[in-house]
Amino acid sequence: ILRSFKRNGTQRNDLLIIDEINRSDIDKSFGQLFTLLSGQEIQLPFTTNGEAVEVYPAETAPPTLAPHEYAVPSSWRLLATMNSYDKTSLYEMSYAFMRRFSFIHIDAPEIPTDGARRRRLLTQYLDVWDQDAERTVVDAIGDIWYITNTAVDHRKIGPAIVKDMISQVSNSSAPLEQAVTRAVTS
């Protein structure tokens, strides 16, 4: 977090992205940073060059920062992702933490029922991922994606798993059916 404010002595305003934030006890991980998120200065329980690390909101920061001092720009942002399906089986976030953020639900994409449209969708993803796959692989994984996402309400997989499956099947020397079965099992 501190590197998003200052790196090599230079003030920064880097966006911080935390993937799968609910895989850690975020209340403990953030600790005193809760106070910082509410606009107050904090002193962290560790030092830089023998000095306690201090973090200030931009409005109250000294004009020149010492190596142990950090300023949080008012425009600084933190983005985090979490799998909402997992949220009940992983660490919970306190209301104190949650009230400091906005939550935006992003659903898995709708998978076309038509095989040709499904192939076009997957081909668009493959272009973005800079990945190639044979048509038979795309069709097989596309069918599995469609079946998986329509089998159980509110239990869908997104494109990241599909990307991994296509990669695994494409790099396999096994017959297609066996390679697809292994990818699904994995």
Side-chain angles (χ1 to χ4, degrees):
I1 292 173
L2 293 177
R3 281 192 301 266
S4 69
F5 306 142
K6 182 168 62 171
R7 191 173 303 153
N8 299 325
T10 302
Q11 178 65 36
R12 307 201 40 110
N13 188 8
D14 293 341
L15 173 70
L16 180 64
I17 299 174
I18 300 175
D19 191 24
E20 298 196 22
I21 195 166
N22 55 331
R23 293 217 175 261
S24 73
D25 187 341
I26 198 65
D27 290 339
K28 287 182 183 176
S29 299
F30 263 64
Q32 292 173 304
L33 293 173
F34 278 123
T35 305
L36 182 66
L37 291 174
S38 67
Q40 300 173 46
E41 7 184 296
I42 61 169
Q43 186 174 44
L44 297 177
F46 49 90
T47 62
T48 298
N49 299 330
E51 298 278 348
V53 172
E54 298 177 69
V55 188
Y56 303 91
E59 304 79 39
T60 62
T64 304
L65 296 172
H68 69 283
E69 296 176 317
Y70 295 80
V72 181
S74 58
S75 60
W76 180 72
R77 295 294 180 261
L78 164 69
L79 297 178
T81 66
M82 72 180 212
N83 182 331
S84 58
Y85 185 79
D86 286 344
K87 74 179 179 185
T88 57
S89 63
L90 298 173
Y91 289 98
E92 291 189 30
M93 288 182 238
S94 69
Y95 289 112
F97 184 81
M98 291 181 358
R99 76 171 188 254
R100 289 169 167 85
F101 295 90
S102 295
F103 288 79
I104 301 168
H105 175 78
I106 300 174
D107 204 357
E110 286 298 317
I111 311 305
T113 57
D114 175 66
R117 289 181 48 223
R118 219 174 13 249
R119 184 181 317 113
R120 280 194 299 276
L121 174 65
L122 275 172
T123 300
Q124 290 172 337
Y125 275 112
L126 288 168
D127 288 343
V128 170
W129 298 329
D130 196 25
Q131 187 175 351
D132 290 319
E134 292 181 15
R135 181 178 175 165
T136 55
V137 172
V138 172
D139 287 345
I141 299 301
D143 290 348
I144 289 169
W145 195 13
Y146 174 75
I147 291 165
T148 301
N149 284 13
T150 57
V152 178
D153 285 341
H154 309 294
R155 184 69 196 262
K156 298 179 180 181
I157 61 172
I161 293 172
V162 172
K163 177 184 180 188
D164 291 345
M165 291 173 68
I166 289 174
S167 178
Q168 183 174 345
V169 173
S170 294
N171 292 315
S172 175
S173 59
L176 180 64
E177 186 175 312
Q178 188 177 12
V180 169
T181 301
R182 288 179 184 162
V184 169
T185 304
S186 294

